[in-house]
């Protein structure tokens, strides 16, 4: 069996589950005659004249399954639209040259829509790539699961849970802004798990008047009688950073864009809290959870999904199944893996199926036969 050299890189936002995936790749790869080379900081590594790399063997990655983030580092580098001196240049050829210089037979690319979009374009040019899906947004087309979602769900649910005591003690509306640029999976399911009162997602623009009405229905006059009757005197609203009002637009931190043309979203929770305070009798507080919601050790599901995604990618590389992404139908332990064409990630994302899951009147999970 002749040995194959396979590079691995992680791009875009870090996510728990990436290190288990690398371990799965190295361990399964070692049984299949693959020598795995870690490439640092996403696509950026393959733009360096001398790419930074680290040979990965079983001893190196033995404990990586327990680590959050990515031990290979990450970046939002887009080789085909690289910004230099105020201009955008296509440096894809340098990536291709470096893959040859490092004598890599294939590259395993772990990423979301953007990083895998680069991989899909390189595959069209004949580069041998295998994709592993990752993003806490869970919005990649072609797979039910993307690494990081479950851990982020756990992290956000914990915060919703902990927000109850301050909100209840002070009698205010707690707005919790979570990640999710175009997809509300994280907001919807953490909101259900944490039993938030209202959940606002990018797939369905909200109306302020409707939110105020729903708050009044729940909180009423907030007088002594309510306190004594022990009825709800607080409310928790979970809102995706990408959610927006019917008559408004997405709220961004500034007007800069990353290499893939995305603005940094953030602030819609604060905007909502201010409107609640100025247009209702209720106090409101907002918190944007930001990057820590992607932090910490991977959950058991992210460890398992990472390990099996990595192992499946090793098999694809060994069998010469290039231009493919590992895809899951179902989530561990009831999970079936397959390979789908990488082009599936281009030009489409997987958003919340509003007709099936979202109650557009109650701003919550649609009643699926259970009384929440
Ligand atoms: O795509 C994953 C994600 O976490 C989005 O939810 C969020 O909008 C974005 O990354 C944040 O980008 P960055 O990590 O570059 O700040």
């Amino acid at each position: 069996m002749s040995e194959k050299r396979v590079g691995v890189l992680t791009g875009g936002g870090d996510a728990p589950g990436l290190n288990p995936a690398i371990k799965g790749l190295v361990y399964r790869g070692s049984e299949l005659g693959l020598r795995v080379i870690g490439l640092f900081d996403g696509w950026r590594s393959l733009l360096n004249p001398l790419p930074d790399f680290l040979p990965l063997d079983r001893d190196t990655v033995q404990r990586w399954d327990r680590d959050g983030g990515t031990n290979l580092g990450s970046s939002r580098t887009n080789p085909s639209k690289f910004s230099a001196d105020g201009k955008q240049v296509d440096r894809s050829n340098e990536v291709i040259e470096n893959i040859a210089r490092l004598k890599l037979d294939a590259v395993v690319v772990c990423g979301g829509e953007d990083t895998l979009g680069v991989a899909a374009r390189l595959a069209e040019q004949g580069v041998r790539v295998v994709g592993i899906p990752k993003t806490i947004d869970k919005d990649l087309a072609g797979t039910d699961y993307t690494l990081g979602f479950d851990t982020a769900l756990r992290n956000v649910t914990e915060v919703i849970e902990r927000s109850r005591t301050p909100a209840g003690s002070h009698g205010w509306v707690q707005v919790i802004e979570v990640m999710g640029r175009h997809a509300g999976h994280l907001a919807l399911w953490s909101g259900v798990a944490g039993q938030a009162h209202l959940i606002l997602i990018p797939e369905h623009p909200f109306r302020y008047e409707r939110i105020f009405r729903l708050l009044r229905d729940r909180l009423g006059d907030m007088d002594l009688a309510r306190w004594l009757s022990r009825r709800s005197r607080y409310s928790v609203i979970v809102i995706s950073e990408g959610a927006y009002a019917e008559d408004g637009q997405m709220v961004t931190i500034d007007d800069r864009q990353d290499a893939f043309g995305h603005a940094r979203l953030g602030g819609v929770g604060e905007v909502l809290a201010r409107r609640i305070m100025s247009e209702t009798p209720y106090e409101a507080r907002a918190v944007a959870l930001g990057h820590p919601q992607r932090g910490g050790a991977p959950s058991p599901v992210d460890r398992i999904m990472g390990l099996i995604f990595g192992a499946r990618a090793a098999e694809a590389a060994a069998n010469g199944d290039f231009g493919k992404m590992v895809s899951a139908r179902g989530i561990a332990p009831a999970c079936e893996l397959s390979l789908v064409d990488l082009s599936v990630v281009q030009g489409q994302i997987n958003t919340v199926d509003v007709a099936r899951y979202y109650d557009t009147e109650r701003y919550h999970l649609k009643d699926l036969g259970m009384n929440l």
Side-chain angles (χ1 to χ4, degrees), residues 12-14 76 134-137 139 178-181 241 258 263-265 291 294:
D14 67 296
R76 289 198 180 276
K134 166 261 18 167
T135 164
I136 65 163
D137 294 3
D139 61 355
V178 309
M179 281 184 169
R181 208 194 293 270
E241 60 182 1
D258 70 13
R264 272 186 72 198
L265 298 178
H291 296 103
R294 310 203 291 243

Side-chain angles (χ1 to χ4, degrees), residues 33-148:
L34 303 186
R35 174 175 282 269
V36 181
I37 315 291
L39 304 165
F40 289 108
D41 295 336
W43 291 115
R44 191 195 292 155
S45 64
L46 290 170
L47 291 177
N48 290 337
L50 289 174
D52 293 331
F53 65 89
L54 174 71
L56 299 174
D57 58 19
R58 291 173 75 104
D59 288 345
T60 318
V61 300
Q62 192 182 0
R63 294 186 183 81
W64 284 24
D65 50 309
R66 298 148 227 186
D67 296 343
T70 162
N71 291 344
L72 292 179
S74 191
S75 69
R76 289 198 180 276
T77 309
N78 183 353
S80 58
K81 285 188 183 159
F82 194 86
S83 294
D85 302 329
K87 280 189 250 144
Q88 285 194 331
V89 283
D90 185 355
R91 297 181 59 190
S92 308
N93 277 343
E94 290 167 60
V95 169
I96 295 171
E97 281 159 22
N98 270 327
I99 290 173
R101 190 173 297 153
L102 290 173
K103 298 189 170 44
L104 300 178
D105 295 291
V107 181
V108 172
V109 180
C110 311
E113 179 201 358
D114 298 327
T115 303
L116 292 182
V118 172
R121 282 193 297 280
L122 289 172
E124 285 162 12
Q125 297 175 55
V127 179
R128 293 187 290 266
V129 286
V130 177
I132 292 182
K134 166 261 18 167
T135 164
I136 65 163
D137 294 3
K138 205 171 78 67
D139 61 355
L140 263 182
T143 182
D144 284 351
Y145 195 70
T146 58
L147 298 177

